Amino acid sequence: HWPETMLTYLPEDRILFTCDFLGSHLATSELYSTGRPGEREAAKRYFAEIMMPFSNLIVKNLDKLDGLQIEMVAPSHGPVVSNPSYIIDCYREWSAGPMRNKVCLPFVSMHGSTRVMVDALVAALVSRGVAVERFELTASDLGHIAMSLVDAATVVIGAPTVLGGAHPAAAHIALLANALRPRTKFVSVLCSYSWGGRAVEQISGLIGNLRAEALEPVVCKGLPRSQDLQAIERLADQIAQKHRELGLM
């Protein structure tokens, strides 16, 4: 979708035909955007799933629009936008705006150990003023996770160990994040195991495209014990401190 996407400007009618750019995942009988509920979410989902890997290019190409008098944006996907500044400002925010004081927390749990860790981290973060969007991978829409990745300052993946490695659902979400290249600043892992394994190392190896600082993972054998829960509290402290240092809190 980039760099082969071409934009065409019709000066007589001040219409910008944007092809794949500035579109949305919204199938509707309405030709024009009306500001109805769900339009922003559909546009953000489209950005997250299609455009997020090209955020740097988006920033550069948005600047090229500054000298144009645009009264309408006509993308190839989604309705025609009669308020161009709205969708352009959204793309500026999503591609280069400040990250949110938020943790995106996708996880999967087989026998409950990882879920206990996730519950503990969510409670610890919320008590410190950090918002959390948690996604149970066996039931979550991947598009919603992608949208959360757009502006989450921190990503924590919860993964039990299966046959010496990360649960396939956790490995899948790590691969997805790696492909989408979100601008997240910090990453960590919650991991449980029985006989050992390399789940944390595996997930770390799958997210090499993320230019994020790796925070200390929390790994426990079986159900988390008091020392594991204390480690989760320390991780929550570290995340909150990192967010404060970025001016997000």
Side-chain angles (χ1 to χ4, degrees):
H1 290 80
W2 214 282
E4 77 276 11
T5 287
M6 295 179 64
L7 279 63
T8 302
Y9 178 60
L10 183 63
E12 294 84 357
D13 295 317
R14 298 178 179 177
I15 300 175
L16 184 68
F17 295 92
T18 57
C19 191
D20 293 320
F21 195 41
L22 304 178
S24 63
H25 277 155
L26 185 63
T28 173
S29 59
E30 298 286 343
L31 178 60
Y32 296 97
S33 171
T34 61
R36 56 192 174 277
E39 285 188 357
R40 178 183 170 89
E41 179 180 356
K44 187 175 184 180
R45 180 170 185 144
Y46 181 88
F47 175 89
E49 296 177 339
I50 304 297
M51 291 292 172
M52 185 158 54
F54 312 105
S55 290
N56 290 336
L57 288 171
I58 287 172
V59 172
K60 295 177 182 178
N61 283 277
L62 281 174
D63 291 340
K64 297 177 182 178
L65 305 181
D66 290 342
L68 302 179
Q69 293 181 310
I70 304 170
E71 294 185 359
M72 193 174 295
V73 169
S76 295
H77 305 280
V80 174
V81 181
S82 55
N83 181 11
S85 61
Y86 171 74
I87 189 63
I88 291 172
D89 288 345
C90 283
Y91 265 61
R92 289 192 191 279
E93 174 188 340
W94 297 332
S95 60
M99 306 305 285
R100 289 182 55 201
N101 175 33
K102 180 179 76 175
V103 173
C104 175
L105 209 173
F107 77 98
V108 61
S109 185
M110 295 189 300
H111 303 295
S113 299
T114 306
R115 182 184 298 277
V116 172
M117 299 174 75
V118 167
D119 289 344
L121 181 60
V122 170
L125 288 169
V126 170
S127 71
R128 289 160 173 79
V130 179
V132 183
E133 291 181 350
R134 58 183 282 169
F135 301 93
E136 186 166 3
L137 292 173
T138 57
S140 295
D141 185 328
L142 291 178
H144 292 163
I145 300 175
M147 285 190 287
S148 181
L149 290 172
V150 169
D151 49 18
T154 298
V155 175
V156 178
I157 298 176
T161 302
V162 181
L163 299 176
H167 189 287
H172 180 211
I173 204 65
L175 282 170
L176 177 67
N178 194 62
L180 294 179
R181 298 172 184 254
R183 297 181 297 121
T184 189
K185 303 301 182 184
F186 312 103
V187 295
S188 189
V189 180
L190 301 178
C191 179
S192 60
Y193 70 96
S194 292
W195 300 292
R198 299 178 58 82
V200 172
E201 293 88 341
Q202 185 183 60
I203 289 176
S204 298
L206 294 174
I207 55 175
N209 286 339
L210 272 61
R211 297 180 179 179
E213 178 184 348
L215 306 182
E216 187 69 23
V218 179
V219 181
C220 73
K221 183 175 182 179
L223 283 169
R225 297 172 174 82
S226 60
Q227 65 268 25
D228 304 312
L229 296 175
Q230 291 170 12
I232 289 173
E233 292 285 337
R234 290 194 296 271
L235 176 59
D237 281 335
Q238 189 177 19
I239 291 171
Q241 180 60 33
K242 294 290 185 180
H243 286 199
R244 278 192 291 270
E245 291 172 358
L246 289 180
L248 303 179
M249 299 177 65

